[in-house]
Amino acid sequence: MPKRKAPSSNKRETDVEEEDHDDETEQQGEAAESFPAATLPVESAVVSDGRAAKQPKVIFVLERACLETGKVGAEHVLLNSDDHAKFLMKHKRAPADYRPDILHQSMLILLDAPLNKAGLMKLFVRSEKGVLIDVNPQIRIPRTFRRFSGLMTQLLFKLSIRASNGPQKLLKVIKNPVTDHLPPNARIICMSVTGKLVSLAEYIPSLPKDCPIVFVAGAMAHGKVEPEYADDYIAVSEYPLSAAAALARVTNAFENYLGVL
């Protein structure tokens, strides 16, 4: 089967190692805006939990995540509506659109899920500006939003984050499109409030058993995602849910189906 093509756009505190990226200069231009020299964000350390990787049965893609940096004062920061509303309005941006906390909540839900701890899950994040991020399932995302913001800002400038307790790259910016990184035979399902309403307890057993399942969800405050590479569109509740709540429903349903306790 030919690959589907998506539109291209291309608990320990220790130091995080910096990577050399001579061959990734072009990606960095898209990952972080071109700001004058200033104080770079304070490094945030992340650790690997040391689990052995398995073949994922479920892959999640979080689309349209708000990951935009700006120079506020002497520092580059991850812009958000709570801390930088005046800065955003000064630059004629709508503060309500700058909600990286939605991505933080979604990543915590997914990476803390037993499905992920069992080695059965994989995660990709794609920003509103098209920056594609490969998330190592072994990463332990910072619990607080402030540390998460520092980590994401660091990633956008350095293009990868190494574990502080091992050689693994826990976060890295990769080339678009995301479909190049998905199994060619994957069944791709987009989660949308306007999709076909399903009961996950009945829907998941009906999915193909011989191919990975990919769920695409939006990590933004407004609007919806409509990826051209999706095979199906579903709603997991008759009520509008936050991204984190919808993702929790999916992980819980797969854990019940696969017998992950």
Side-chain angles (χ1 to χ4, degrees), residues 58 60 189-191 196-207 213 215 233-238 241 245-258:
V58 189
F60 288 92
I189 302 159
C190 181
M191 300 166 62
K196 175 180 64 177
L197 181 62
V198 300
S199 165
L200 288 173
E202 298 173 359
Y203 182 73
I204 288 175
S206 72
L207 294 172
I213 306 300
F215 280 91
Y233 289 79
I234 67 167
V236 299
S237 173
E238 58 185 311
L241 300 178
L247 292 167
R249 279 202 152 198
V250 175
T251 56
N252 289 341
F254 265 100
E255 287 156 8
N256 292 333
Y257 175 63
L258 298 173

PDB file of all heavy atoms in Angstrom, residues 58 60 189-191 196-207 213 215 233-238 241 245-258:
ATOM      1  N   VAL A  58      -0.469   1.637  19.511  1.00  0.00           N
ATOM      2  CA  VAL A  58      -1.256   2.857  19.325  1.00  0.00           C
ATOM      3  C   VAL A  58      -0.294   4.034  19.180  1.00  0.00           C
ATOM      4  O   VAL A  58       0.628   4.185  19.981  1.00  0.00           O
ATOM      5  CB  VAL A  58      -2.211   3.110  20.509  1.00  0.00           C
ATOM      6  CG1 VAL A  58      -3.159   4.261  20.172  1.00  0.00           C
ATOM      7  CG2 VAL A  58      -2.990   1.866  20.860  1.00  0.00           C
ATOM      8  N   PHE A  60      -0.165   8.276  18.724  1.00  0.00           N
ATOM      9  CA  PHE A  60      -0.934   9.520  18.826  1.00  0.00           C
ATOM     10  C   PHE A  60      -0.178  10.644  18.112  1.00  0.00           C
ATOM     11  O   PHE A  60       1.043  10.757  18.236  1.00  0.00           O
ATOM     12  CB  PHE A  60      -1.163   9.914  20.291  1.00  0.00           C
ATOM     13  CG  PHE A  60      -2.149   9.028  21.000  1.00  0.00           C
ATOM     14  CD1 PHE A  60      -1.715   7.915  21.702  1.00  0.00           C
ATOM     15  CD2 PHE A  60      -3.507   9.304  20.960  1.00  0.00           C
ATOM     16  CE1 PHE A  60      -2.619   7.091  22.358  1.00  0.00           C
ATOM     17  CE2 PHE A  60      -4.422   8.489  21.607  1.00  0.00           C
ATOM     18  CZ  PHE A  60      -3.976   7.379  22.309  1.00  0.00           C
ATOM     19  N   ILE A 189      -7.007   7.590  12.439  1.00  0.00           N
ATOM     20  CA  ILE A 189      -8.326   8.036  12.884  1.00  0.00           C
ATOM     21  C   ILE A 189      -8.196   9.419  13.513  1.00  0.00           C
ATOM     22  O   ILE A 189      -7.388   9.617  14.427  1.00  0.00           O
ATOM     23  CB  ILE A 189      -8.905   7.051  13.914  1.00  0.00           C
ATOM     24  CG1 ILE A 189      -8.997   5.643  13.300  1.00  0.00           C
ATOM     25  CG2 ILE A 189     -10.256   7.512  14.425  1.00  0.00           C
ATOM     26  CD1 ILE A 189      -9.054   4.543  14.320  1.00  0.00           C
ATOM     27  N   CYS A 190      -8.979  10.356  13.033  1.00  0.00           N
ATOM     28  CA  CYS A 190      -8.972  11.708  13.587  1.00  0.00           C
ATOM     29  C   CYS A 190     -10.105  11.858  14.590  1.00  0.00           C
ATOM     30  O   CYS A 190     -11.243  11.466  14.333  1.00  0.00           O
ATOM     31  CB  CYS A 190      -9.124  12.745  12.472  1.00  0.00           C
ATOM     32  SG  CYS A 190      -9.102  14.453  13.061  1.00  0.00           S
ATOM     33  N   MET A 191      -9.796  12.416  15.749  1.00  0.00           N
ATOM     34  CA  MET A 191     -10.791  12.659  16.787  1.00  0.00           C
ATOM     35  C   MET A 191     -11.337  14.074  16.620  1.00  0.00           C
ATOM     36  O   MET A 191     -10.592  15.045  16.640  1.00  0.00           O
ATOM     37  CB  MET A 191     -10.165  12.480  18.171  1.00  0.00           C
ATOM     38  CG  MET A 191      -9.613  11.083  18.406  1.00  0.00           C
ATOM     39  SD  MET A 191      -8.529  10.993  19.848  1.00  0.00           S
ATOM     40  CE  MET A 191      -9.677  11.443  21.152  1.00  0.00           C
ATOM     41  N   LYS A 196     -18.078  10.941  13.537  1.00  0.00           N
ATOM     42  CA  LYS A 196     -19.100   9.924  13.819  1.00  0.00           C
ATOM     43  C   LYS A 196     -19.010   9.509  15.291  1.00  0.00           C
ATOM     44  O   LYS A 196     -17.958   9.102  15.769  1.00  0.00           O
ATOM     45  CB  LYS A 196     -18.873   8.716  12.913  1.00  0.00           C
ATOM     46  CG  LYS A 196     -19.780   7.531  13.175  1.00  0.00           C
ATOM     47  CD  LYS A 196     -19.463   6.392  12.227  1.00  0.00           C
ATOM     48  CE  LYS A 196     -18.059   5.863  12.474  1.00  0.00           C
ATOM     49  NZ  LYS A 196     -17.741   4.700  11.614  1.00  0.00           N
ATOM     50  N   LEU A 197     -20.115   9.619  16.025  1.00  0.00           N
ATOM     51  CA  LEU A 197     -20.120   9.282  17.443  1.00  0.00           C
ATOM     52  C   LEU A 197     -19.999   7.765  17.608  1.00  0.00           C
ATOM     53  O   LEU A 197     -20.769   7.000  17.022  1.00  0.00           O
ATOM     54  CB  LEU A 197     -21.406   9.789  18.099  1.00  0.00           C
ATOM     55  CG  LEU A 197     -21.550   9.520  19.603  1.00  0.00           C
ATOM     56  CD1 LEU A 197     -20.434  10.216  20.388  1.00  0.00           C
ATOM     57  CD2 LEU A 197     -22.916   9.993  20.100  1.00  0.00           C
ATOM     58  N   VAL A 198     -19.014   7.344  18.415  1.00  0.00           N
ATOM     59  CA  VAL A 198     -18.790   5.914  18.623  1.00  0.00           C
ATOM     60  C   VAL A 198     -18.656   5.612  20.108  1.00  0.00           C
ATOM     61  O   VAL A 198     -18.289   6.476  20.912  1.00  0.00           O
ATOM     62  CB  VAL A 198     -17.517   5.422  17.891  1.00  0.00           C
ATOM     63  CG1 VAL A 198     -17.617   5.662  16.393  1.00  0.00           C
ATOM     64  CG2 VAL A 198     -16.258   6.075  18.471  1.00  0.00           C
ATOM     65  N   SER A 199     -18.950   4.380  20.449  1.00  0.00           N
ATOM     66  CA  SER A 199     -18.634   3.860  21.778  1.00  0.00           C
ATOM     67  C   SER A 199     -17.277   3.184  21.663  1.00  0.00           C
ATOM     68  O   SER A 199     -17.119   2.215  20.900  1.00  0.00           O
ATOM     69  CB  SER A 199     -19.693   2.843  22.216  1.00  0.00           C
ATOM     70  OG  SER A 199     -19.228   2.091  23.324  1.00  0.00           O
ATOM     71  N   LEU A 200     -16.285   3.684  22.354  1.00  0.00           N
ATOM     72  CA  LEU A 200     -14.935   3.154  22.224  1.00  0.00           C
ATOM     73  C   LEU A 200     -14.861   1.681  22.603  1.00  0.00           C
ATOM     74  O   LEU A 200     -14.070   0.922  22.039  1.00  0.00           O
ATOM     75  CB  LEU A 200     -13.956   3.978  23.059  1.00  0.00           C
ATOM     76  CG  LEU A 200     -13.640   5.374  22.508  1.00  0.00           C
ATOM     77  CD1 LEU A 200     -12.804   6.168  23.500  1.00  0.00           C
ATOM     78  CD2 LEU A 200     -12.921   5.272  21.160  1.00  0.00           C
ATOM     79  N   ALA A 201     -15.673   1.260  23.556  1.00  0.00           N
ATOM     80  CA  ALA A 201     -15.671  -0.143  23.978  1.00  0.00           C
ATOM     81  C   ALA A 201     -16.076  -1.064  22.826  1.00  0.00           C
ATOM     82  O   ALA A 201     -15.643  -2.223  22.769  1.00  0.00           O
ATOM     83  CB  ALA A 201     -16.607  -0.340  25.161  1.00  0.00           C
ATOM     84  N   GLU A 202     -16.894  -0.566  21.895  1.00  0.00           N
ATOM     85  CA  GLU A 202     -17.306  -1.352  20.732  1.00  0.00           C
ATOM     86  C   GLU A 202     -16.444  -1.053  19.505  1.00  0.00           C
ATOM     87  O   GLU A 202     -16.195  -1.936  18.679  1.00  0.00           O
ATOM     88  CB  GLU A 202     -18.769  -1.056  20.402  1.00  0.00           C
ATOM     89  CG  GLU A 202     -19.744  -1.421  21.515  1.00  0.00           C
ATOM     90  CD  GLU A 202     -21.160  -0.965  21.209  1.00  0.00           C
ATOM     91  OE1 GLU A 202     -21.356  -0.345  20.135  1.00  0.00           O
ATOM     92  OE2 GLU A 202     -22.059  -1.222  22.032  1.00  0.00           O
ATOM     93  N   TYR A 203     -15.975   0.188  19.401  1.00  0.00           N
ATOM     94  CA  TYR A 203     -15.224   0.616  18.220  1.00  0.00           C
ATOM     95  C   TYR A 203     -13.825   0.003  18.173  1.00  0.00           C
ATOM     96  O   TYR A 203     -13.380  -0.485  17.115  1.00  0.00           O
ATOM     97  CB  TYR A 203     -15.130   2.142  18.213  1.00  0.00           C
ATOM     98  CG  TYR A 203     -14.415   2.720  17.018  1.00  0.00           C
ATOM     99  CD1 TYR A 203     -15.012   2.743  15.757  1.00  0.00           C
ATOM    100  CD2 TYR A 203     -13.139   3.258  17.142  1.00  0.00           C
ATOM    101  CE1 TYR A 203     -14.364   3.285  14.659  1.00  0.00           C
ATOM    102  CE2 TYR A 203     -12.478   3.808  16.052  1.00  0.00           C
ATOM    103  CZ  TYR A 203     -13.092   3.817  14.811  1.00  0.00           C
ATOM    104  OH  TYR A 203     -12.444   4.348  13.734  1.00  0.00           O
ATOM    105  N   ILE A 204     -13.112   0.012  19.297  1.00  0.00           N
ATOM    106  CA  ILE A 204     -11.731  -0.464  19.308  1.00  0.00           C
ATOM    107  C   ILE A 204     -11.609  -1.940  18.919  1.00  0.00           C
ATOM    108  O   ILE A 204     -10.750  -2.296  18.098  1.00  0.00           O
ATOM    109  CB  ILE A 204     -11.078  -0.169  20.678  1.00  0.00           C
ATOM    110  CG1 ILE A 204     -10.831   1.344  20.789  1.00  0.00           C
ATOM    111  CG2 ILE A 204      -9.774  -0.943  20.849  1.00  0.00           C
ATOM    112  CD1 ILE A 204     -10.308   1.807  22.111  1.00  0.00           C
ATOM    113  N   PRO A 205     -12.467  -2.836  19.429  1.00  0.00           N
ATOM    114  CA  PRO A 205     -12.363  -4.240  18.984  1.00  0.00           C
ATOM    115  C   PRO A 205     -12.645  -4.429  17.496  1.00  0.00           C
ATOM    116  O   PRO A 205     -12.239  -5.446  16.917  1.00  0.00           O
ATOM    117  CB  PRO A 205     -13.421  -4.952  19.835  1.00  0.00           C
ATOM    118  CG  PRO A 205     -13.580  -4.105  21.041  1.00  0.00           C
ATOM    119  CD  PRO A 205     -13.421  -2.696  20.541  1.00  0.00           C
ATOM    120  N   SER A 206     -13.319  -3.468  16.873  1.00  0.00           N
ATOM    121  CA  SER A 206     -13.642  -3.591  15.448  1.00  0.00           C
ATOM    122  C   SER A 206     -12.506  -3.141  14.538  1.00  0.00           C
ATOM    123  O   SER A 206     -12.559  -3.333  13.323  1.00  0.00           O
ATOM    124  CB  SER A 206     -14.889  -2.769  15.121  1.00  0.00           C
ATOM    125  OG  SER A 206     -14.611  -1.371  15.159  1.00  0.00           O
ATOM    126  N   LEU A 207     -11.460  -2.539  15.115  1.00  0.00           N
ATOM    127  CA  LEU A 207     -10.342  -2.043  14.317  1.00  0.00           C
ATOM    128  C   LEU A 207      -9.466  -3.206  13.851  1.00  0.00           C
ATOM    129  O   LEU A 207      -9.440  -4.266  14.486  1.00  0.00           O
ATOM    130  CB  LEU A 207      -9.515  -1.049  15.137  1.00  0.00           C
ATOM    131  CG  LEU A 207     -10.216   0.257  15.510  1.00  0.00           C
ATOM    132  CD1 LEU A 207      -9.368   1.073  16.470  1.00  0.00           C
ATOM    133  CD2 LEU A 207     -10.538   1.081  14.254  1.00  0.00           C
ATOM    134  N   ILE A 213      -2.608   1.418  15.028  1.00  0.00           N
ATOM    135  CA  ILE A 213      -3.701   2.389  14.987  1.00  0.00           C
ATOM    136  C   ILE A 213      -3.147   3.766  15.353  1.00  0.00           C
ATOM    137  O   ILE A 213      -2.424   3.906  16.333  1.00  0.00           O
ATOM    138  CB  ILE A 213      -4.824   2.005  15.967  1.00  0.00           C
ATOM    139  CG1 ILE A 213      -5.291   0.563  15.702  1.00  0.00           C
ATOM    140  CG2 ILE A 213      -5.980   2.972  15.848  1.00  0.00           C
ATOM    141  CD1 ILE A 213      -5.829   0.325  14.307  1.00  0.00           C
ATOM    142  N   PHE A 215      -4.153   7.729  16.236  1.00  0.00           N
ATOM    143  CA  PHE A 215      -5.193   8.687  16.595  1.00  0.00           C
ATOM    144  C   PHE A 215      -4.622  10.097  16.465  1.00  0.00           C
ATOM    145  O   PHE A 215      -3.557  10.399  17.009  1.00  0.00           O
ATOM    146  CB  PHE A 215      -5.692   8.462  18.023  1.00  0.00           C
ATOM    147  CG  PHE A 215      -6.675   7.337  18.146  1.00  0.00           C
ATOM    148  CD1 PHE A 215      -6.237   6.050  18.415  1.00  0.00           C
ATOM    149  CD2 PHE A 215      -8.036   7.550  17.981  1.00  0.00           C
ATOM    150  CE1 PHE A 215      -7.139   5.000  18.515  1.00  0.00           C
ATOM    151  CE2 PHE A 215      -8.943   6.514  18.075  1.00  0.00           C
ATOM    152  CZ  PHE A 215      -8.500   5.234  18.348  1.00  0.00           C
ATOM    153  N   TYR A 233     -13.077   9.761  10.810  1.00  0.00           N
ATOM    154  CA  TYR A 233     -13.268  10.826  11.794  1.00  0.00           C
ATOM    155  C   TYR A 233     -14.299  10.346  12.819  1.00  0.00           C
ATOM    156  O   TYR A 233     -15.402   9.938  12.432  1.00  0.00           O
ATOM    157  CB  TYR A 233     -13.771  12.105  11.120  1.00  0.00           C
ATOM    158  CG  TYR A 233     -12.743  12.802  10.273  1.00  0.00           C
ATOM    159  CD1 TYR A 233     -12.448  12.332   8.995  1.00  0.00           C
ATOM    160  CD2 TYR A 233     -12.054  13.916  10.743  1.00  0.00           C
ATOM    161  CE1 TYR A 233     -11.494  12.961   8.204  1.00  0.00           C
ATOM    162  CE2 TYR A 233     -11.104  14.554   9.960  1.00  0.00           C
ATOM    163  CZ  TYR A 233     -10.828  14.068   8.691  1.00  0.00           C
ATOM    164  OH  TYR A 233      -9.881  14.692   7.925  1.00  0.00           O
ATOM    165  N   ILE A 234     -13.925  10.392  14.091  1.00  0.00           N
ATOM    166  CA  ILE A 234     -14.843   9.926  15.124  1.00  0.00           C
ATOM    167  C   ILE A 234     -14.951  10.933  16.258  1.00  0.00           C
ATOM    168  O   ILE A 234     -14.052  11.749  16.480  1.00  0.00           O
ATOM    169  CB  ILE A 234     -14.409   8.561  15.710  1.00  0.00           C
ATOM    170  CG1 ILE A 234     -13.088   8.703  16.484  1.00  0.00           C
ATOM    171  CG2 ILE A 234     -14.296   7.500  14.618  1.00  0.00           C
ATOM    172  CD1 ILE A 234     -12.751   7.501  17.351  1.00  0.00           C
ATOM    173  N   ALA A 235     -16.070  10.869  16.973  1.00  0.00           N
ATOM    174  CA  ALA A 235     -16.265  11.606  18.226  1.00  0.00           C
ATOM    175  C   ALA A 235     -16.367  10.558  19.333  1.00  0.00           C
ATOM    176  O   ALA A 235     -17.043   9.539  19.167  1.00  0.00           O
ATOM    177  CB  ALA A 235     -17.533  12.444  18.169  1.00  0.00           C
ATOM    178  N   VAL A 236     -15.679  10.798  20.453  1.00  0.00           N
ATOM    179  CA  VAL A 236     -15.657   9.812  21.534  1.00  0.00           C
ATOM    180  C   VAL A 236     -16.665  10.132  22.631  1.00  0.00           C
ATOM    181  O   VAL A 236     -16.770   9.418  23.613  1.00  0.00           O
ATOM    182  CB  VAL A 236     -14.243   9.670  22.137  1.00  0.00           C
ATOM    183  CG1 VAL A 236     -13.259   9.198  21.067  1.00  0.00           C
ATOM    184  CG2 VAL A 236     -13.773  10.989  22.755  1.00  0.00           C
ATOM    185  N   SER A 237     -17.419  11.230  22.459  1.00  0.00           N
ATOM    186  CA  SER A 237     -18.453  11.594  23.421  1.00  0.00           C
ATOM    187  C   SER A 237     -19.490  12.459  22.725  1.00  0.00           C
ATOM    188  O   SER A 237     -19.186  13.127  21.725  1.00  0.00           O
ATOM    189  CB  SER A 237     -17.858  12.357  24.612  1.00  0.00           C
ATOM    190  OG  SER A 237     -18.881  12.847  25.471  1.00  0.00           O
ATOM    191  N   GLU A 238     -20.693  12.447  23.245  1.00  0.00           N
ATOM    192  CA  GLU A 238     -21.722  13.333  22.691  1.00  0.00           C
ATOM    193  C   GLU A 238     -21.544  14.762  23.182  1.00  0.00           C
ATOM    194  O   GLU A 238     -22.233  15.677  22.729  1.00  0.00           O
ATOM    195  CB  GLU A 238     -23.117  12.830  23.068  1.00  0.00           C
ATOM    196  CG  GLU A 238     -23.363  12.715  24.557  1.00  0.00           C
ATOM    197  CD  GLU A 238     -24.716  12.085  24.858  1.00  0.00           C
ATOM    198  OE1 GLU A 238     -25.719  12.537  24.273  1.00  0.00           O
ATOM    199  OE2 GLU A 238     -24.761  11.150  25.669  1.00  0.00           O
ATOM    200  N   LEU A 241     -15.339  17.790  24.624  1.00  0.00           N
ATOM    201  CA  LEU A 241     -14.368  17.452  25.651  1.00  0.00           C
ATOM    202  C   LEU A 241     -13.064  18.211  25.413  1.00  0.00           C
ATOM    203  O   LEU A 241     -12.738  18.569  24.285  1.00  0.00           O
ATOM    204  CB  LEU A 241     -14.065  15.948  25.640  1.00  0.00           C
ATOM    205  CG  LEU A 241     -15.212  14.978  25.887  1.00  0.00           C
ATOM    206  CD1 LEU A 241     -14.698  13.546  25.786  1.00  0.00           C
ATOM    207  CD2 LEU A 241     -15.861  15.229  27.241  1.00  0.00           C
ATOM    208  N   ALA A 245      -9.129  15.204  28.145  1.00  0.00           N
ATOM    209  CA  ALA A 245     -10.216  14.291  28.522  1.00  0.00           C
ATOM    210  C   ALA A 245     -10.498  13.286  27.405  1.00  0.00           C
ATOM    211  O   ALA A 245     -10.722  12.095  27.661  1.00  0.00           O
ATOM    212  CB  ALA A 245     -11.480  15.083  28.848  1.00  0.00           C
ATOM    213  N   ALA A 246     -10.490  13.750  26.150  1.00  0.00           N
ATOM    214  CA  ALA A 246     -10.734  12.852  25.031  1.00  0.00           C
ATOM    215  C   ALA A 246      -9.620  11.818  24.894  1.00  0.00           C
ATOM    216  O   ALA A 246      -9.872  10.631  24.665  1.00  0.00           O
ATOM    217  CB  ALA A 246     -10.866  13.660  23.741  1.00  0.00           C
ATOM    218  N   LEU A 247      -8.377  12.251  25.058  1.00  0.00           N
ATOM    219  CA  LEU A 247      -7.244  11.336  24.962  1.00  0.00           C
ATOM    220  C   LEU A 247      -7.259  10.316  26.099  1.00  0.00           C
ATOM    221  O   LEU A 247      -6.914   9.145  25.894  1.00  0.00           O
ATOM    222  CB  LEU A 247      -5.933  12.128  24.979  1.00  0.00           C
ATOM    223  CG  LEU A 247      -5.693  13.006  23.743  1.00  0.00           C
ATOM    224  CD1 LEU A 247      -4.557  13.980  23.993  1.00  0.00           C
ATOM    225  CD2 LEU A 247      -5.399  12.157  22.519  1.00  0.00           C
ATOM    226  N   ALA A 248      -7.669  10.749  27.282  1.00  0.00           N
ATOM    227  CA  ALA A 248      -7.756   9.828  28.415  1.00  0.00           C
ATOM    228  C   ALA A 248      -8.777   8.733  28.137  1.00  0.00           C
ATOM    229  O   ALA A 248      -8.579   7.566  28.508  1.00  0.00           O
ATOM    230  CB  ALA A 248      -8.124  10.586  29.686  1.00  0.00           C
ATOM    231  N   ARG A 249      -9.877   9.090  27.469  1.00  0.00           N
ATOM    232  CA  ARG A 249     -10.891   8.087  27.113  1.00  0.00           C
ATOM    233  C   ARG A 249     -10.303   7.021  26.185  1.00  0.00           C
ATOM    234  O   ARG A 249     -10.571   5.832  26.336  1.00  0.00           O
ATOM    235  CB  ARG A 249     -12.078   8.757  26.424  1.00  0.00           C
ATOM    236  CG  ARG A 249     -13.060   9.411  27.373  1.00  0.00           C
ATOM    237  CD  ARG A 249     -14.425   9.572  26.728  1.00  0.00           C
ATOM    238  NE  ARG A 249     -15.470   9.556  27.746  1.00  0.00           N
ATOM    239  CZ  ARG A 249     -16.750   9.333  27.495  1.00  0.00           C
ATOM    240  NH1 ARG A 249     -17.138   9.063  26.254  1.00  0.00           N
ATOM    241  NH2 ARG A 249     -17.636   9.340  28.453  1.00  0.00           N
ATOM    242  N   VAL A 250      -9.509   7.466  25.228  1.00  0.00           N
ATOM    243  CA  VAL A 250      -8.931   6.528  24.267  1.00  0.00           C
ATOM    244  C   VAL A 250      -7.909   5.612  24.939  1.00  0.00           C
ATOM    245  O   VAL A 250      -7.926   4.393  24.738  1.00  0.00           O
ATOM    246  CB  VAL A 250      -8.281   7.284  23.089  1.00  0.00           C
ATOM    247  CG1 VAL A 250      -7.569   6.312  22.150  1.00  0.00           C
ATOM    248  CG2 VAL A 250      -9.333   8.074  22.321  1.00  0.00           C
ATOM    249  N   THR A 251      -7.010   6.183  25.734  1.00  0.00           N
ATOM    250  CA  THR A 251      -6.004   5.343  26.393  1.00  0.00           C
ATOM    251  C   THR A 251      -6.665   4.354  27.350  1.00  0.00           C
ATOM    252  O   THR A 251      -6.265   3.179  27.401  1.00  0.00           O
ATOM    253  CB  THR A 251      -4.976   6.199  27.149  1.00  0.00           C
ATOM    254  OG1 THR A 251      -5.637   7.052  28.090  1.00  0.00           O
ATOM    255  CG2 THR A 251      -4.162   7.058  26.189  1.00  0.00           C
ATOM    256  N   ASN A 252      -7.677   4.795  28.088  1.00  0.00           N
ATOM    257  CA  ASN A 252      -8.367   3.889  29.012  1.00  0.00           C
ATOM    258  C   ASN A 252      -9.054   2.744  28.261  1.00  0.00           C
ATOM    259  O   ASN A 252      -9.017   1.590  28.696  1.00  0.00           O
ATOM    260  CB  ASN A 252      -9.406   4.655  29.837  1.00  0.00           C
ATOM    261  CG  ASN A 252      -8.778   5.582  30.854  1.00  0.00           C
ATOM    262  OD1 ASN A 252      -7.605   5.421  31.204  1.00  0.00           O
ATOM    263  ND2 ASN A 252      -9.525   6.554  31.341  1.00  0.00           N
ATOM    264  N   ALA A 253      -9.669   3.072  27.124  1.00  0.00           N
ATOM    265  CA  ALA A 253     -10.356   2.043  26.341  1.00  0.00           C
ATOM    266  C   ALA A 253      -9.373   1.012  25.796  1.00  0.00           C
ATOM    267  O   ALA A 253      -9.643  -0.200  25.817  1.00  0.00           O
ATOM    268  CB  ALA A 253     -11.128   2.699  25.196  1.00  0.00           C
ATOM    269  N   PHE A 254      -8.214   1.472  25.325  1.00  0.00           N
ATOM    270  CA  PHE A 254      -7.210   0.528  24.819  1.00  0.00           C
ATOM    271  C   PHE A 254      -6.611  -0.307  25.954  1.00  0.00           C
ATOM    272  O   PHE A 254      -6.319  -1.494  25.764  1.00  0.00           O
ATOM    273  CB  PHE A 254      -6.104   1.268  24.074  1.00  0.00           C
ATOM    274  CG  PHE A 254      -6.324   1.332  22.593  1.00  0.00           C
ATOM    275  CD1 PHE A 254      -6.835   2.478  22.012  1.00  0.00           C
ATOM    276  CD2 PHE A 254      -6.047   0.243  21.786  1.00  0.00           C
ATOM    277  CE1 PHE A 254      -7.060   2.542  20.645  1.00  0.00           C
ATOM    278  CE2 PHE A 254      -6.264   0.281  20.426  1.00  0.00           C
ATOM    279  CZ  PHE A 254      -6.773   1.439  19.845  1.00  0.00           C
ATOM    280  N   GLU A 255      -6.434   0.296  27.105  1.00  0.00           N
ATOM    281  CA  GLU A 255      -5.909  -0.463  28.253  1.00  0.00           C
ATOM    282  C   GLU A 255      -6.875  -1.579  28.650  1.00  0.00           C
ATOM    283  O   GLU A 255      -6.456  -2.711  28.931  1.00  0.00           O
ATOM    284  CB  GLU A 255      -5.658   0.490  29.428  1.00  0.00           C
ATOM    285  CG  GLU A 255      -4.445   1.384  29.241  1.00  0.00           C
ATOM    286  CD  GLU A 255      -4.500   2.666  30.046  1.00  0.00           C
ATOM    287  OE1 GLU A 255      -5.424   2.813  30.883  1.00  0.00           O
ATOM    288  OE2 GLU A 255      -3.648   3.531  29.822  1.00  0.00           O
ATOM    289  N   ASN A 256      -8.161  -1.272  28.638  1.00  0.00           N
ATOM    290  CA  ASN A 256      -9.164  -2.303  28.944  1.00  0.00           C
ATOM    291  C   ASN A 256      -9.166  -3.389  27.884  1.00  0.00           C
ATOM    292  O   ASN A 256      -9.255  -4.580  28.203  1.00  0.00           O
ATOM    293  CB  ASN A 256     -10.549  -1.663  29.059  1.00  0.00           C
ATOM    294  CG  ASN A 256     -10.685  -0.757  30.269  1.00  0.00           C
ATOM    295  OD1 ASN A 256      -9.991  -0.962  31.282  1.00  0.00           O
ATOM    296  ND2 ASN A 256     -11.557   0.225  30.208  1.00  0.00           N
ATOM    297  N   TYR A 257      -9.063  -2.995  26.630  1.00  0.00           N
ATOM    298  CA  TYR A 257      -9.102  -3.958  25.529  1.00  0.00           C
ATOM    299  C   TYR A 257      -7.873  -4.867  25.517  1.00  0.00           C
ATOM    300  O   TYR A 257      -7.975  -6.073  25.283  1.00  0.00           O
ATOM    301  CB  TYR A 257      -9.212  -3.205  24.205  1.00  0.00           C
ATOM    302  CG  TYR A 257      -9.141  -4.091  22.986  1.00  0.00           C
ATOM    303  CD1 TYR A 257     -10.113  -5.061  22.748  1.00  0.00           C
ATOM    304  CD2 TYR A 257      -8.095  -3.948  22.075  1.00  0.00           C
ATOM    305  CE1 TYR A 257     -10.042  -5.874  21.624  1.00  0.00           C
ATOM    306  CE2 TYR A 257      -8.022  -4.775  20.971  1.00  0.00           C
ATOM    307  CZ  TYR A 257      -9.000  -5.726  20.740  1.00  0.00           C
ATOM    308  OH  TYR A 257      -8.922  -6.537  19.629  1.00  0.00           O
ATOM    309  N   LEU A 258      -6.695  -4.271  25.797  1.00  0.00           N
ATOM    310  CA  LEU A 258      -5.447  -5.034  25.754  1.00  0.00           C
ATOM    311  C   LEU A 258      -5.093  -5.702  27.078  1.00  0.00           C
ATOM    312  O   LEU A 258      -4.114  -6.422  27.173  1.00  0.00           O
ATOM    313  CB  LEU A 258      -4.295  -4.115  25.334  1.00  0.00           C
ATOM    314  CG  LEU A 258      -4.414  -3.490  23.933  1.00  0.00           C
ATOM    315  CD1 LEU A 258      -3.308  -2.463  23.710  1.00  0.00           C
ATOM    316  CD2 LEU A 258      -4.338  -4.593  22.861  1.00  0.00           C
TER     317      LEU A 258
END
